[in-house]
Structure formats: structure tokens, C-alpha cells
């Protein structure tokens, strides 16, 4: 830190966290599976819940969109003979299962949370509206917005871009198992180099698989900053919110 921040670290922390008053955190269903590869890993779920609780304790309003890839993906269903719309509806229901699991883990950790669903399924969740989500956040509860966009042929990346824009989040934070955006898939290519910052246009021009194109384009059109970071390392979310250089910023 510069000397002034070494003398007044609390000031530094408060100042830095002011960049993030409200965030939309995207969690992938696949990461929730942990080392099991499918289903819900209780340890990973508890780790996500405690990191989210820490973020709220820092004074940040946290909206969450969670994927469903650990349970079902529409494309995989279509390959097995389901029609695509039915497959995607099954995928959206998978996001509800993960959302309920996350709410339960947050409540166990003492952090209030609500599940809002884009497809009506009261009493499992309350119907989503951006006003209800914002009200929930302003009460200090976590708003878990499930079913992605509520429509087939989309992904939860697009759902989280949309919700981030609707709730006027300061940024969309995409928590994955990779610590940022690389020139190639770092799990497959050891030569891959990480970007600290990269523009939406460059992501699209290079065909980088940070998020699907629809989600990236939606963020670009609405100037929604994205930060891709490794959420599977406990403590990373808090570091990011405190302004430490974690992950890659897409601008
Ligand atoms: N899905 C959908 N519309 C949406 C969001 C999700 O139809 O707006 C379906 C789609 O079938 C997708 C599945 O839900 O494959 C699970 O979401 P996703 O693949 O984004 O989950 P993740 O990869 O983040 O685990």
C-alpha cells in the first residue's frame, strides 16, 4: 500500500469497498459440484455461503444468480432426445434447486436470504421483480435470483448480466474455478497467459469463452463491468471487494 494507507488501513478498506455498494455475483452450478463432478458439494456450498456473508458484513449488497450445470443443462438434454425448450426448462429448475440449497446454507450461517424465481412457483420462491430484488438487498438480505432469464435458449451468464443491469449493480462478479480470463483455456494450455484487464470487444474478437456472447454483448451495451475471479479459493471475494487485484476486469 502507499504509506498513507499503511498508516490508515481501515480508511483504505472503506475507501476501496466504496467501489462496490451493490454486486451481482454469478456462481456456476459446475463449481458447486466440487470434486464430485455433479450434485451439490456441502463443503463448497458452505464456503460460498460464508464468503457471501462476509461480503454483506462489509456493507455490500449481494444479489446472486446461480447456474444449474451440476444438475442439468438443456443442451445435454437435447442431445438425449428432449426437445430443447423442455431441456432448458429442466435446466432452469436445476437453478432453483441450487438456489434453495444456497439459501439454506446462508440461513445456517446466520445470513438472511430470499429466493426469487423468474418463473412463478410460489411457495418455493417468491416471484422475481427487480423492485422485490432491490427491496430484499436494502433489507440486508441476499437476493438469490433463480431460473436465469426465465426463458429457454439463454444461459445463467445472460441471466446474471440481465439481473446485474436491472438491479443497477456496480459490477457483475463471475465466480468460477479459474482465476481470470486467459488467452486460452489454462486447464488445457500451459502457455495460456492471464489478462488483468480486457475490453468486451477484445473478448469477442478473440472468441474467449469468458461468458457467452449474448451476456458479454448485454454488459457492453449497458456498460456493466465484469470481473472474472476464482471463487473456489476462500477469501477471494472479500479481497476483490476490498479493491485488491483479484481476477480479470472486463470493461
Ligand atoms: N437456462 C435457460 N435459460 C436461462 C438460464 C438457464 O434455459 O435464462 C437453462 C439452460 O438449459 C442451461 C441450464 O438452465 O443449460 C443451466 O444453466 P447454465 O448452463 O447457465 O448453468 P452453469 O453453466 O452456470 O452451471
Amino acid at each position: 500500500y502507499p504509506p498513507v494507507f499503511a498508516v490508515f488501513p481501515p480508511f483504505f478498506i472503506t475507501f476501496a469497498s466504496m467501489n462496490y455498494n451493490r454486486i451481482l455475483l454469478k456462481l456456476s452450478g459446475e463449481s458447486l459440484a466440487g470434486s464430485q463432478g455433479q450434485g451439490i458439494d456441502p463443503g463448497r456450498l458452505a464456503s460460498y455461503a460464508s464468503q457471501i456473508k462476509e461480503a454483506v458484513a462489509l456493507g455490500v449488497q449481494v444479489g446472486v444468480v446461480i447456474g444449474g450445470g451440476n444438475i442439468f443443462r438443456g443442451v445435454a438434454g437435447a442431445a438425449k432426445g428432449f426437445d430443447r425448450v423442455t431441456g432448458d426448462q429442466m435446466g432452469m429448475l436445476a437453478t432453483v434447486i441450487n438456489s434453495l440449497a444456497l439459501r439454506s446454507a446462508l440461513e445456517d450461517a446466520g445470513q438472511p436470504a430470499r429466493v426469487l424465481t423468474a418463473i412463478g412457483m410460489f411457495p418455493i420462491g417468491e416471484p422475481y421483480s427487480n423492485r422485490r430484488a432491490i427491496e430484499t438487498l436494502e433489507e440486508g438480505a441476499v437476493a438469490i435470483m433463480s431460473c436465469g432469464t426465465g426463458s429457454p435458449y439463454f444461459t445463467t451468464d445472460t441471466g446474471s448480466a440481465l439481473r446485474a443491469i436491472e438491479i443497477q449493480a456496480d459490477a457483475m462478479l463471475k465466480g468460477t474455478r479459474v482465476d481470470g480470463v486467459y488467452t486460452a483455456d489454462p486447464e488445457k494450455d500451459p502457455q495460456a497467459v492471464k489478462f488483468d484487464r480486457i475490453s468486451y470487444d477484445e473478448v469477442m474478437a478473440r472468441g474467449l469463452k469468458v461468458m457467452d456472447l449474448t451476456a458479454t454483448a448485454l454488459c457492453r451495451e449497458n456498460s456493466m463491468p465484469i470481473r472474472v475471479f476464482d471463487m473456489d479459493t476462500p477469501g477471494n471475494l472479500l479481497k476483490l471487494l476490498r479493491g485488491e487485484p483479484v481476477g480479470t476486469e472486463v470493461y
Side-chain angles (χ1 to χ4, degrees):
Y1 302 154
V4 62
F5 293 141
V7 178
F8 301 112
F11 167 72
F12 173 61
I13 289 164
T14 314
F15 176 75
S17 61
M18 275 167 51
N19 293 330
Y20 297 111
N21 291 318
R22 179 179 293 161
I23 58 162
L24 188 296
L25 177 65
K26 156 80 207 296
L27 297 174
S28 98
E30 225 166 75
S31 298
L32 200 58
S35 52
Q36 307 170 156
Q38 59 176 5
I40 298 172
D41 176 57
R44 180 60 52 73
L45 186 65
S47 159
Y48 285 172
S50 78
Q51 292 190 72
I52 292 169
K53 187 185 175 190
E54 284 170 356
V56 177
L58 199 66
V60 180
Q61 296 182 0
V62 184
V64 178
V65 167
I66 188 158
N70 54 324
I71 300 172
F72 200 86
R73 281 211 173 92
V75 177
K80 288 181 185 151
F82 292 105
D83 74 87
R84 176 68 192 269
V85 174
T86 303
D88 281 342
Q89 287 169 338
M90 292 166 76
M92 287 188 269
L93 290 175
T95 73
V96 180
I97 293 174
N98 286 335
S99 298
L100 294 175
L102 183 64
R103 182 185 64 190
S104 171
L106 283 164
E107 286 175 350
D108 281 351
Q111 171 58 55
R114 272 183 223 284
V115 171
L116 308 176
T117 64
I119 297 172
M121 56 182 81
F122 184 81
I124 290 175
E126 295 172 51
Y128 168 81
S129 75
N130 72 324
R131 282 169 181 268
R132 188 70 189 119
I134 291 170
E135 256 170 39
T136 302
L137 296 171
E138 287 178 346
E139 283 166 11
V142 173
I144 307 169
M145 294 164 268
S146 69
C147 304
T149 61
S151 296
Y153 294 99
F154 288 102
T155 63
T156 49
D157 278 350
T158 302
S160 56
L162 179 64
R163 298 301 180 229
I165 295 160
E166 281 189 84
I167 65 167
Q168 297 170 349
D170 299 309
M172 170 181 157
L173 309 184
K174 180 174 158 127
T176 69
R177 55 178 187 210
V178 182
D179 67 344
V181 181
Y182 283 77
T183 48
D185 183 348
E187 289 177 347
K188 292 182 189 142
D189 181 354
Q191 310 294 320
V193 178
K194 186 183 151 193
F195 295 96
D196 291 329
R197 295 184 83 224
I198 183 169
S199 67
Y200 306 113
D201 287 336
E202 199 173 347
V203 166
M204 294 202 253
R206 285 175 176 256
L208 299 176
K209 294 193 172 54
V210 181
M211 306 199 303
D212 58 84
L213 274 177
T214 315
T216 308
L218 198 56
C219 287
R220 184 184 64 175
E221 293 305 302
N222 293 278
S223 306
M224 173 58 62
I226 308 163
R227 196 168 265 277
V228 181
F229 74 108
D230 167 19
M231 176 80 187
D232 295 353
T233 302
N236 262 356
L237 177 61
L238 211 57
K239 283 188 190 163
L240 196 166
L241 295 173
R242 286 179 168 157
E244 290 180 41
V246 172
T248 298
E249 183 190 353
V250 185
Y251 63 96

